[in-house]
Amino acid sequence: MITYMFRKASRGFSPGLRRFSDLKVTEHVPESPASPRLTEQASLYVHWPYCLRRCTYCNFNKYIPKENNEDIMAKCLQRETETLLQLSQVSCITSVFFGGGTPSLAHPSTIAKILETVSKQVNLSDEAEVTLEVNPTPVGMSKLKDYHHAGVNRFSIGVQSLQAKDLKSLGRDHNSLDALQTLAEARKLCPGGVSVDIMFGRPNQTTELWSRELSEMLRVCDDHVSLYQLTLERGTQLFKQVQSGQVTMPTEEITAEMYQCARTTLQQHGFQQYEVSNFAKNNSESRHNLSYWTGRQYIGVGPGNLNWVRTTGGCWLFLCNLICSRCVTGAHGRFVPLGEGGVAREARTQTLEPDVWIREVRQRGHGTRRRIQLGHLELLEEVLVMGMRMTTGINHKHWELFSPELSLLEIFGGSLVVQELLQHGQLILDDRGLRCSWEGLALLDSMLPVLLVELERGFSQKLAAN
Amino acid sequence: MTYFLVKQLCDISLLGRVLPFKVCRRKIPSYNICYRVLRHCLVKSLPVLSSSFRSLSTQPDAVDLSKFPVDKIRNFCIIAHIDHGKSTLADRLLEMTGAIAKTEKNKQVLDKLQVERERGITVKAQTASLFYSHDGQEYLLNLIDTPGHVDFSYEVSRSLSACQGVLLIIDANQGIQAQTVANFYLAFEAQLAIIPVINKVLSDIPTEITDREGISAKLGTNVEAVLQAVVKRIPHPGGSVDDPFKALVFDSNFDHYRGVVANIAVIGGRVKKGDNIVSAHLSKTYEVNELGLLRPEEHATQKLFAGQVGYIIAGMKDVKEAQIGDTLYRHDHPVQALPGFKPAKAMVFAGMYPMDQSEYPALRSAIERLTLNDSSVTVQRDSSLALGAGWRLGFLGLLHMEVFNQRLEQEYNASVIVTSPTVPYKAILSSAKLIKEHGGEEVTIVNPAQFPDRSVVLEYLEPMVLGTILAPDAYTGKIMSLCLSRRGVQKSMVYIDEQRVMLKYLFPLNEIVVDFYDLLKSMSSGYASFDYENADYQAADLIKMDILLNGRPVEELTTIVHRERAYSTGKAMCERLKESIPRQMFEIAIQAAIGSKVIARETVKAFRKNVLAKCYGGDITRKMKLLKRQAEGKKKMRRVGNVDVPKDAFISVLKRKEK
């Protein structure tokens, strides 16, 4: 049990946000370290922008390094970590995630230095989850031990597939043997702390092939699986291949079938689905990712990041660097910086180009380019959208933390459209809170716009009533 | 859209075919005819062309019009198929008579509107009085530049009735076109003197100027001969200055400062400033404040005399008070009104809605301003559950509608959703109760929602048109099957030369208002030309077709169709809807139904999976943006039963197809 206390907001902020002030809430967090107030802790995402090559399905901005500038990169990541931690004034980092790009291209000493920077400045408990994304190449594997030594206690391995042909056509720089070996090594180092990324809906894949592949994969997996459907993005090599007819993608019907099949198979193997794409057994949920879905603050370091930071006075500040994602997601963060004396959250756009980012960090300590204030409604919208991705959905207490004056029942209970979703069994609203049913989760993105409309309506009615 | 795009390669021998037309020359001016050409009366904004106009001081300051008795007056117009050089010839005539200075810049001086210059058509009639000396005599030649297109039908006939002769221009390279034929018949029926003019004649081709004029309007070659022919071959107007004053209104414009400016042809007698005149249609009396000649800019004079053409300003506040075809007379001396007057009748209707409801007031004022000068556009407020508040506008024809819409966009920068055009149907009621309600047994149906049930109706009627198609004979087969598929009935088929066929078909107007012309053009590689005139109403087997979404009718998609066309129309609508209704969480049945009978169906399958695989910190902003946009879209959607239909879906079904 932890107690969060929102600080009193200083004057001059929107009435909606002021409601946060002097609010004392308790929330049960399973893995709770003896944590201080919600606004004083954050997750940290560190972004490594470089890749050796571009995957055929990836359309994110990423950079193939021109020269070895690892030293400079390491220094700048430390510098920005320092700056943003200071700006945020959080006292505790609950988890660290090294993502990219391909962070396993970074030298273990770089990882070590960044973690040192963090623990020098704030409380980084030994139990804090520290994840590193790993490309399962022989080089990556050879460094696992050193990463572990540097403080990494969880590896997320981008296996994607065990089919040699598919790995090649996706443009991955590893083969299935590499993947199996890396996985085994990682499990040795961090038993119960290894996650595997698997991709389905690949070109020419059938449900049958997928089912067999998944079962095979699960035999070697540890306690966590992330399941991603390959999405065809414009501007990628794969997109061109599909356009020209060289490659056929499975239809939506098939991928829907694959998804349901995978969910069933994973369940049969003892994996609990806890989010749209994430499955775990033995309580191995990614705490770092859960913090996104539960609307906690997070700090993002590295070129192309988003941040939630906190300013003095207990406000939420959203710092946002543009993302340079590793075919997945970029660095990002949302935290409430203390110091500027406001309750308003900000979104900041940060320099995208690594070179430019490096220059700006050297000059100013961080690469923030643009700041946008987030209002109370926007905050609630994010809490709703992110929360509904979890199988447990949003419980009443959690919602109350963000929306003390407007309950889930008040917002959604009276809506006819929501009633329809409830009746059709896609949505559940009960004593526990609001969540998707098993069937509904696969259709979440069709329901979210409806829920957002209702939220806005409820919110503005409440505002008018006050 | 170009209406009459035809490419007929040069075959000078073909030009001889124009000859027989000349036989039809008559000398009796007559106002007793009813035929159709078209014209469109919109804002007339005369730009100040002071630098390019020859200074008026070179002419007697106040022209003494009494110097021009009827026998020294010629009233004529130029009619031509599109792009055959009508406006260019007008430029030359204006230059040669000193109405404007001769400069390189004179290109389509009378076509002032952007739409006119872009499309190469005349939408707005302009009048220019020219002074011309011939054989030592001073003549007043009044050029009435009418729109070329039949769409502007009824009113052009009025401007023709202000004339005694026409210059019928034919492009030497293109030969006779559908519109040439239509124009010829108009002039012929009006018993006007016809002077065929072969334009775009290359200088190296010998031209004989005997019965027809071979000119190059662009180069100015031989244009003098045209003026001579006008004097020699066009009869002077009838009437006498001693008759009681009587004038025909053949055009009107609205001026914000001075009110209505009416263009008139004085049939008899004289009129001067201060006279009290009456409009026959409304029997309202006005005092003449100003009058004068158009050269083509307004040039005030003291009086206008029989046979002369000019403008008059008499305190009219609305163009509807100076309707085309109306008769003016002195209040103390009533005369028999000129025959053939009828108020403009809208033949093509279309809904117009602002893209966004916030643009409603701006669009309203734009439409108001455009219709200020165009009494032929009927405006009715309308509203659609899907498209919001808007209007149902009635136009004389398709081109009229397009020109209106283009002007709205170009001159008023308004973005508009224009629905697919419909035509006015009629129903002959059988129920005594309904007849009493409607005050007559015949009702006109403009909105499908008002379509009376079969059980209370004796018969339904649909408007017909007589279409003329000219095309090389190689395309005849294809064209005939197209016409047949549009329920066309062939009236005649004539070879106008060795290779070209003129087909006449009676069509239901509804069958040609949407895409007929485009199809005709594309199937004939652009060689066919088409024109039509209204041909009254005929009984038709009309039915009301509903579009259903999961069994619920969608009001704004209800359509009146001919029974034969119900299936194809219904299927096309269902298909278009299928393309534009996004997949939802459940299956959507899109059906076209007549009564309870479903005649076409499409299905939008339910989503089986719709959730973004990855959503971590870095994805949030992007994801939120997308969802917010969808939520905003959701708010604007129209809910039919349990189906959310985006506005775009309605637009794609209702809107005219882009060309």
Side-chain angles (χ1 to χ4, degrees):
Chain A
M1 218 47 175
I2 16 159
T3 307
Y4 301 120
M5 162 80 145
F6 288 94
R7 287 206 181 174
K8 172 146 185 83
S10 61
R11 310 259 161 228
F13 289 91
S14 79
L17 287 166
R18 204 173 300 154
R19 261 175 260 130
F20 275 108
S21 37
D22 297 327
L23 167 71
K24 195 173 175 185
V25 218
T26 52
E27 190 190 18
H28 179 70
V29 177
E31 77 279 12
S32 70
S35 164
R37 302 165 194 161
L38 182 61
T39 50
E40 288 182 5
Q41 61 177 26
S43 311
L44 176 70
Y45 178 86
V46 181
H47 189 72
W48 184 264
Y50 300 118
C51 281
L52 276 183
R53 60 201 281 198
R54 179 182 281 271
C55 298
T56 59
Y57 52 88
C58 179
N59 76 335
F60 281 106
N61 299 299
K62 73 169 72 151
Y63 300 87
I64 314 298
K66 281 171 285 203
E67 68 216 59
N68 186 353
N69 59 352
E70 171 137 11
D71 277 357
I72 303 166
M73 197 57 177
K75 282 202 182 96
C76 287
L77 285 172
Q78 289 175 71
R79 176 87 195 275
E80 199 182 34
T81 304
E82 262 172 37
T83 315
L84 294 183
L85 283 175
Q86 200 177 10
L87 186 64
S88 72
Q89 296 203 11
V90 296
S91 57
C92 175
I93 288 295
T94 52
S95 63
V96 182
F97 196 105
F98 291 93
T102 309
S104 57
L105 289 176
H107 198 275
S109 65
T110 303
I111 305 297
K113 279 179 212 155
I114 294 167
L115 290 173
E116 268 167 39
T117 307
V118 177
S119 46
K120 250 191 254 164
Q121 212 168 330
V122 298
N123 175 20
L124 177 65
S125 118
D126 290 347
E127 287 156 53
E129 179 187 281
V130 180
T131 309
L132 177 84
E133 283 184 339
V134 178
N135 255 22
T137 59
V139 180
M141 186 174 73
S142 69
K143 293 193 275 187
L144 290 184
K145 199 183 265 176
D146 294 334
Y147 287 134
H148 185 56
H149 195 69
V152 173
N153 55 20
R154 187 172 179 271
F155 290 108
S156 171
I157 303 178
V159 175
Q160 313 307 353
S161 166
L162 289 177
Q163 310 291 317
K165 212 178 66 194
D166 289 9
L167 286 172
K168 207 166 164 221
S169 81
L170 294 174
R172 303 291 302 186
D173 47 12
H174 67 270
N175 61 38
S176 58
L177 187 64
D178 293 340
L180 292 172
Q181 286 175 349
T182 309
L183 188 53
E185 172 75 11
R187 290 185 67 177
K188 218 161 53 184
L189 290 167
C190 308
V194 180
S195 175
V196 170
D197 283 1
I198 313 174
M199 186 180 277
F200 70 98
R202 305 191 305 257
N204 308 320
Q205 195 180 30
T206 65
T207 311
E208 211 186 12
L209 283 173
W210 161 239
S211 169
R212 231 182 297 152
E213 185 184 348
L214 182 63
S215 300
E216 201 184 316
M217 194 93 86
L218 290 180
R219 252 180 273 136
V220 294
C221 278
D222 197 41
D223 288 350
H224 193 277
V225 169
S226 295
L227 196 67
Y228 300 123
Q229 183 185 329
L230 171 57
T231 43
L232 194 58
E233 304 279 359
R234 279 180 178 281
T236 60
Q237 201 184 328
L238 186 64
F239 186 82
K240 277 179 222 146
Q241 289 168 342
V242 171
Q243 288 291 90
S244 65
Q246 289 171 38
V247 163
T248 20
M249 297 292 286
T251 62
E252 197 226 284
E253 298 291 300
I254 304 285
T255 54
E257 209 174 283
M258 287 177 176
Y259 181 64
Q260 300 298 13
C261 161
R263 292 172 81 186
T264 314
T265 309
L266 278 155
Q267 198 172 33
Q268 284 162 358
H269 283 76
F271 284 89
Q272 290 294 316
Q273 180 172 21
Y274 68 100
E275 192 257 1
V276 172
S277 303
N278 286 281
F279 302 79
K281 57 183 179 188
N282 306 325
N283 296 323
S284 300
E285 293 89 357
S286 163
R287 277 173 259 161
H288 183 84
N289 288 339
L290 276 171
S291 65
Y292 297 140
W293 301 318
T294 49
R296 308 283 168 75
Q297 50 183 358
Y298 53 97
I299 299 169
V301 168
N305 284 334
L306 302 167
N307 291 292
W308 289 58
V309 279
R310 184 177 65 168
T311 55
T312 320
C315 74
W316 292 79
L317 175 69
F318 173 53
L319 275 182
C320 152
N321 309 15
L322 278 177
I323 312 156
C324 165
S325 295
R326 176 230 161 179
C327 331
V328 184
T329 122
H332 38 259
R334 276 159 160 74
F335 59 98
V336 182
L338 295 166
E340 295 186 3
V343 167
R345 226 183 237 198
E346 284 183 359
R348 295 188 179 194
T349 305
Q350 230 143 325
T351 315
L352 176 66
E353 294 271 349
D355 293 350
V356 183
W357 172 82
I358 286 170
R359 200 168 59 230
E360 294 196 359
V361 172
R362 281 173 155 178
Q363 283 167 2
R364 298 188 285 142
H366 63 84
T368 303
R369 277 270 174 97
R370 191 164 60 109
R371 300 160 54 149
I372 301 162
Q373 289 210 337
L374 286 187
H376 189 189
L377 177 61
E378 280 91 348
L379 171 64
L380 295 184
E381 284 169 347
E382 290 196 358
V383 170
L384 176 70
V385 165
M386 299 309 278
M388 289 303 285
R389 291 186 64 85
M390 295 183 293
T391 49
T392 51
I394 303 161
N395 70 43
H396 293 298
K397 278 235 167 93
H398 181 72
W399 183 256
E400 207 185 302
L401 192 64
F402 296 92
S403 175
E405 292 199 348
L406 194 60
S407 72
L408 289 171
L409 277 168
E410 281 174 278
I411 299 165
F412 302 111
S415 154
L416 285 177
V417 206
V418 171
Q419 280 303 323
E420 237 171 77
L421 295 172
L422 296 173
Q423 273 163 21
H424 285 93
Q426 287 137 339
L427 201 65
I428 301 165
L429 178 60
D430 61 10
D431 298 349
R432 277 159 61 192
L434 181 71
R435 64 189 176 281
C436 295
S437 68
W438 163 272
E439 295 79 21
L441 194 62
L443 295 167
L444 176 61
D445 288 2
S446 291
M447 293 193 281
L448 285 176
V450 177
L451 299 180
L452 286 172
V453 169
E454 294 306 320
L455 170 60
E456 196 194 323
R457 184 176 305 159
F459 188 85
S460 48
Q461 275 170 8
K462 192 81 188 180
L463 217 59
N466 288 352
Chain B
M1 179 162 125
T2 312
Y3 256 70
F4 305 102
L5 177 74
V6 185
K7 277 190 183 161
Q8 176 67 47
L9 286 174
C10 180
D11 179 355
I12 291 298
S13 71
L14 286 180
L15 299 176
R17 313 270 153 193
V18 182
L19 257 179
F21 290 175
K22 227 209 79 206
V23 179
C24 315
R25 227 171 94 189
R26 298 285 157 84
K27 288 204 169 175
I28 317 110
S30 164
Y31 300 99
N32 193 13
I33 340 109
C34 196
Y35 50 72
R36 303 147 206 278
V37 198
L38 27 132
R39 81 132 276 227
H40 187 49
C41 167
L42 299 163
V43 185
K44 181 192 238 168
S45 52
L46 286 165
V48 182
L49 290 170
S50 53
S51 60
S52 63
F53 278 103
R54 189 165 132 186
S55 160
L56 285 169
S57 61
T58 59
Q59 294 286 334
D61 204 27
V63 182
D64 180 9
L65 288 175
S66 61
K67 268 193 350 203
F68 297 100
V70 287
D71 64 324
K72 292 288 178 290
I73 296 171
R74 301 291 181 271
N75 295 328
F76 69 103
C77 58
I78 310 177
I79 55 183
H81 190 81
I82 188 163
D83 256 356
H84 279 201
K86 185 176 66 139
S87 299
T88 314
L89 177 61
D91 292 347
R92 291 298 90 75
L93 297 178
L94 261 60
E95 284 172 9
M96 294 181 61
T97 56
I100 57 171
K102 202 168 184 170
T103 78
E104 289 294 306
K105 286 184 203 133
N106 293 336
K107 284 194 178 123
Q108 292 174 255
V109 169
L110 296 182
D111 291 341
K112 303 266 171 14
L113 304 172
Q114 186 183 351
V115 55
E116 292 180 321
R117 286 163 179 268
E118 274 177 15
R119 290 171 179 252
I121 55 173
T122 301
V123 164
K124 182 78 207 85
Q126 296 280 351
T127 299
S129 294
L130 315 171
F131 296 102
Y132 178 65
S133 293
H134 180 66
D135 287 342
Q137 299 283 328
E138 186 86 353
Y139 289 89
L140 177 63
L141 310 183
N142 295 310
L143 164 59
I144 295 160
D145 184 27
T146 62
H149 195 269
V150 178
D151 223 32
F152 303 94
S153 130
Y154 162 71
E155 289 117 308
V156 162
S157 74
R158 295 294 94 191
S159 29
L160 282 186
S161 57
C163 301
Q164 287 72 49
V166 300
L167 300 177
L168 180 69
I169 305 191
I170 298 142
D171 185 321
N173 299 311
Q174 297 190 0
I176 294 162
Q177 298 297 329
Q179 205 184 327
T180 321
V181 177
N183 286 333
F184 164 74
Y185 280 115
L186 283 172
F188 178 50
E189 286 175 38
Q191 302 186 319
L192 302 184
I194 297 170
I195 303 177
V197 176
I198 318 291
N199 190 23
K200 304 192 190 175
V201 173
L202 300 171
S203 49
D204 57 342
I205 296 171
T207 53
E208 33 162 337
I209 305 130
T210 48
D211 292 321
R212 61 184 187 273
E213 315 301 339
I215 64 155
S216 168
K218 199 174 169 196
L219 303 172
T221 316
N222 231 352
V223 176
E224 179 76 28
V226 174
L227 286 172
Q228 288 166 10
V230 167
V231 172
K232 279 191 279 183
R233 289 163 49 182
I234 293 178
H236 62 75
S240 152
V241 288
D242 304 321
D243 294 342
F245 169 65
K246 180 177 183 179
L248 168 76
V249 175
F250 64 89
D251 195 6
S252 62
N253 302 289
F254 185 79
D255 182 296
H256 276 279
Y257 301 102
R258 300 176 298 167
V260 174
V261 180
N263 289 9
I264 58 165
V266 184
I267 308 299
R270 64 184 81 193
V271 63
K272 63 175 191 304
K273 209 172 151 176
D275 281 357
N276 284 313
I277 57 167
V278 180
S279 79
H281 176 51
L282 294 175
S283 304
K284 280 176 86 168
T285 306
Y286 307 91
E287 186 187 325
V288 177
N289 305 324
E290 185 184 332
L291 76 177
L293 289 180
L294 293 158
R295 317 193 51 240
E297 83 286 15
E298 285 164 13
H299 183 65
T301 59
Q302 293 304 308
K303 293 176 183 172
L304 281 175
F305 297 91
Q308 293 170 356
V309 170
Y311 72 96
I312 192 163
I313 298 170
M316 294 173 176
K317 298 276 181 278
D318 184 335
V319 274
K320 295 211 161 30
E321 294 175 75
Q323 291 210 37
I324 316 294
D326 202 356
T327 304
L328 302 178
Y329 57 84
R330 276 178 66 110
H331 80 292
D332 54 359
H333 211 308
V335 298
Q336 176 86 38
L338 293 160
F341 171 79
K342 52 183 176 178
K345 189 177 63 180
M347 288 311 288
V348 174
F349 289 84
M352 288 205 183
Y353 298 88
M355 226 32 181
D356 189 291
Q357 281 298 305
S358 63
E359 294 160 17
Y360 182 89
L363 185 59
R364 182 181 56 203
S365 90
I367 288 176
E368 273 169 7
R369 274 181 286 167
L370 266 183
T371 49
L372 258 184
N373 273 291
D374 192 350
S375 59
S376 57
V377 179
T378 64
V379 182
Q380 224 181 324
R381 260 199 286 174
D382 203 356
S383 79
S384 148
L385 289 171
L387 305 178
W391 300 266
R392 180 163 287 268
L393 302 189
F395 301 97
L396 300 170
L398 262 190
L399 182 68
H400 186 194
M401 176 177 99
E402 292 199 343
V403 163
F404 186 90
N405 193 25
Q406 193 176 339
R407 293 194 62 190
L408 211 52
E409 284 178 7
Q410 285 177 347
E411 296 168 34
Y412 297 93
N413 198 22
S415 62
V416 207
I417 300 165
V418 183
T419 67
S420 190
T422 57
V423 301
Y425 293 107
K426 284 179 179 175
I428 307 295
L429 301 172
S430 59
S431 136
K433 189 175 156 244
L434 278 180
I435 293 173
K436 204 174 161 196
E437 242 172 63
H438 287 95
E441 60 178 15
E442 188 183 279
V443 284
T444 301
I445 310 141
V446 170
N447 188 337
Q450 298 149 359
F451 192 72
D453 192 74
R454 171 107 258 168
S455 62
V456 296
V457 162
L458 272 183
E459 66 177 350
Y460 297 110
L461 303 172
E462 65 178 335
M464 306 297 289
V465 293
L466 185 63
T468 303
I469 300 163
L470 251 77
D473 58 2
Y475 301 108
T476 312
K478 275 194 201 168
I479 291 173
M480 283 168 71
S481 27
L482 171 68
C483 294
L484 204 65
S485 76
R486 296 310 177 94
R487 298 192 285 131
V489 176
Q490 198 183 85
K491 289 294 173 191
S492 70
M493 178 172 155
V494 182
Y495 270 84
I496 61 160
D497 56 42
E498 290 82 355
Q499 287 158 19
R500 293 203 304 159
V501 177
M502 178 166 81
L503 296 154
K504 290 227 175 223
Y505 271 88
L506 189 65
F507 288 107
L509 175 60
N510 185 42
E511 297 286 339
I512 61 155
V513 288
V514 182
D515 54 357
F516 177 80
Y517 187 66
D518 299 299
L519 278 173
L520 181 70
K521 211 167 65 174
S522 67
M523 70 167 46
S524 65
S525 317
Y527 284 105
S529 60
F530 175 69
D531 213 338
Y532 68 89
E533 56 189 288
N534 295 327
D536 215 349
Y537 276 75
Q538 268 188 10
D541 190 2
L542 301 175
I543 43 178
K544 187 163 94 168
M545 182 174 71
D546 290 312
I547 298 293
L548 314 174
L549 293 181
N550 282 353
R552 299 277 280 266
V554 189
E555 222 174 284
E556 48 270 72
L557 297 182
T558 299
T559 315
I560 299 170
V561 280
H562 191 271
R563 192 178 294 277
E564 270 175 34
R565 305 283 282 160
Y567 173 73
S568 58
T569 310
K571 190 165 166 37
M573 288 178 80
C574 289
E575 281 168 1
R576 282 217 233 171
L577 273 175
K578 185 190 175 173
E579 282 166 25
S580 45
I581 297 182
R583 295 177 72 169
Q584 295 179 22
M585 293 174 73
F586 39 79
E587 188 174 286
I588 303 164
I590 305 169
Q591 296 167 308
I594 295 163
S596 57
K597 192 180 156 217
V598 172
I599 56 165
R601 174 185 170 129
E602 293 288 337
T603 306
V604 178
K605 282 202 198 152
F607 261 130
R608 287 197 50 205
K609 176 172 185 285
N610 180 30
V611 61
L612 187 71
K614 279 175 182 159
C615 194
Y616 301 101
D619 307 309
I620 297 176
T621 306
R622 202 159 58 136
K623 170 80 170 167
M624 288 309 299
K625 226 180 214 172
L626 180 73
L627 286 169
K628 290 282 283 174
R629 205 163 53 226
Q630 287 172 351
E632 281 308 306
K634 196 123 201 141
K635 278 193 255 172
K636 286 183 190 150
M637 284 191 202
R638 161 117 152 77
R639 206 166 165 83
V640 180
N642 59 350
V643 184
D644 283 319
V645 189
K647 193 169 164 183
D648 284 355
F650 286 98
I651 295 173
S652 92
V653 177
L654 295 173
K655 203 188 162 192
R656 290 205 62 196
K657 280 203 206 130
E658 296 296 331
K659 306 272 156 45

